[in-house]
Amino acid sequence: MSRSQHHKRLAWFTAGGLGIALVAVIVDVTLPPGETLWHMVAAPEEDGGWKFVEIDGVDVSDGGYSLGVRWGEISGFHDGCNSCGFEDLDQPRGALDRSMICTLQACEEKPNDVLFARFAFGTPQMRVENDRLILSQPGHRAVLVRPPAR
């Protein structure tokens, strides 16, 4: 009598691997562009979109200032008129070869644009306190909140 060469453990191991691969593909297809499953699991709590409410004690909540954080670094911002995003996120902030892409709409300057620019173009320290993101640089502080869900 001949005996077949079936390996049940190998079959279960292969099926499990294929199942995990299928789940990974489904998650990858359903995530927003630029997001990964690893980022959703391991990203710092400050990652995501934030809206400025106060800069150096000045209420700027009506200015439309906001920024995006990815892996603990500013990845882009909106000044109430134009949006800018940084390419080469693997390069450190302030690196000379890190490029920025912006929309180029003609905008009227607002009184708090100078306050906002300190944080949008700078390298502030970040920390999350309760539901607020606090950005700080020597002599300056900004408070941001998550924008309301649409």
Side-chain angles (χ1 to χ4, degrees), residues 114-131:
V114 173
L115 296 174
F116 169 72
R118 287 182 182 131
F119 293 97
F121 294 102
T123 54
Q125 297 292 319
M126 296 182 196
R127 74 178 185 282
V128 176
E129 289 182 3
N130 300 323
D131 60 344

Side-chain angles (χ1 to χ4, degrees), residues 18-52:
L18 290 172
I20 291 171
L22 177 64
V23 169
V25 167
I26 291 170
V27 168
D28 187 48
V29 169
T30 60
L31 288 176
E35 293 294 325
T36 64
L37 181 58
W38 174 245
H39 185 257
M40 293 191 72
V41 172
E45 65 180 323
E46 61 265 14
D47 277 19
W50 295 92
K51 180 182 183 284
F52 282 80

Side-chain angles (χ1 to χ4, degrees), residues 36-90:
T36 64
L37 181 58
W38 174 245
H39 185 257
M40 293 191 72
V41 172
E45 65 180 323
E46 61 265 14
D47 277 19
W50 295 92
K51 180 182 183 284
F52 282 80
V53 292
E54 181 183 300
I55 302 174
D56 291 341
V58 176
D59 180 358
V60 295
S61 56
D62 290 336
Y65 304 118
S66 63
L67 58 80
V69 177
R70 183 164 170 86
W71 293 116
E73 300 233 354
I74 296 173
S75 60
F77 59 85
H78 182 73
D79 66 5
C81 181
N82 282 298
S83 295
C84 296
F86 295 99
E87 291 185 338
D88 308 323
L89 291 178
D90 56 335

